[in-house]
Amino acid sequence: MVDATGRTTVATEYFQGYSVVGIIALIGVLFVAVAFGAGRLLRPVVPTPEKLLTYECGVDPVGEGWAHTQVRYYVYAFLYVVFAVDSIFLFPWATIFAAPGFGGVTLVEMFIFLGFLAIGLLYAWKKGVLEWT
């Protein structure tokens, strides 16, 4: 909006930034919709009994669809994810460590963080979670 002096108001400038983001988001949604629509129109649809079977790693399905999985595999996956995500936090610290004035503080923070990770790993080891049986 333009006020009496001919200047735009703060609200107009504020919402112009959001309108650009909204337009880009709309273009992205339209792009995905067009891609999915084109895929649906262009793909061949020939259902056969083999195509309708449940597929599992190239092995024909045998028996029921329900299978028991031991929890320890999920624990290994969870521990991996925790330590992989936590290790990602080391990269920003490494870049800040190179900046002047942040070296000592960043190094102490990094070792405190690694100490927490080591305590978590020690706890998991003491509980027997890391034993593959």
Side-chain angles (χ1 to χ4, degrees):
M1 290 205 190
V2 179
D3 61 5
T5 61
R7 293 181 292 171
T8 59
T9 61
V10 176
T12 305
E13 292 177 11
Y14 179 77
F15 287 116
Q16 275 182 334
Y18 282 114
S19 65
V20 172
V21 172
I23 290 170
I24 290 173
L26 182 65
I27 289 171
V29 168
L30 288 174
F31 181 76
V32 171
V34 168
F36 275 114
R40 180 168 274 227
L41 291 174
L42 298 175
R43 73 176 179 216
V45 181
V46 185
T48 61
E50 290 83 18
K51 289 182 180 179
L52 297 176
L53 280 176
T54 304
Y55 181 76
E56 182 64 37
C57 300
V59 180
D60 290 332
V62 177
E64 300 219 5
W66 294 99
H68 294 284
T69 304
Q70 296 196 12
V71 175
R72 69 173 170 253
Y73 300 119
Y74 295 109
V75 172
Y76 287 118
F78 181 69
L79 284 173
Y80 171 75
V81 168
V82 166
F83 286 104
V85 169
D86 289 342
S87 66
I88 291 173
F89 289 117
L90 295 177
F91 292 108
W93 276 329
T95 57
I96 291 174
F97 184 68
F102 289 105
V105 173
T106 305
L107 188 64
V108 170
E109 288 176 352
M110 189 182 307
F111 278 115
I112 290 172
F113 178 73
L114 290 174
F116 281 124
L117 289 180
I119 289 170
L121 186 61
L122 183 65
Y123 176 77
W125 178 63
K126 288 283 189 184
K127 285 292 202 176
V129 171
L130 301 178
E131 293 177 12
W132 191 273
T133 57

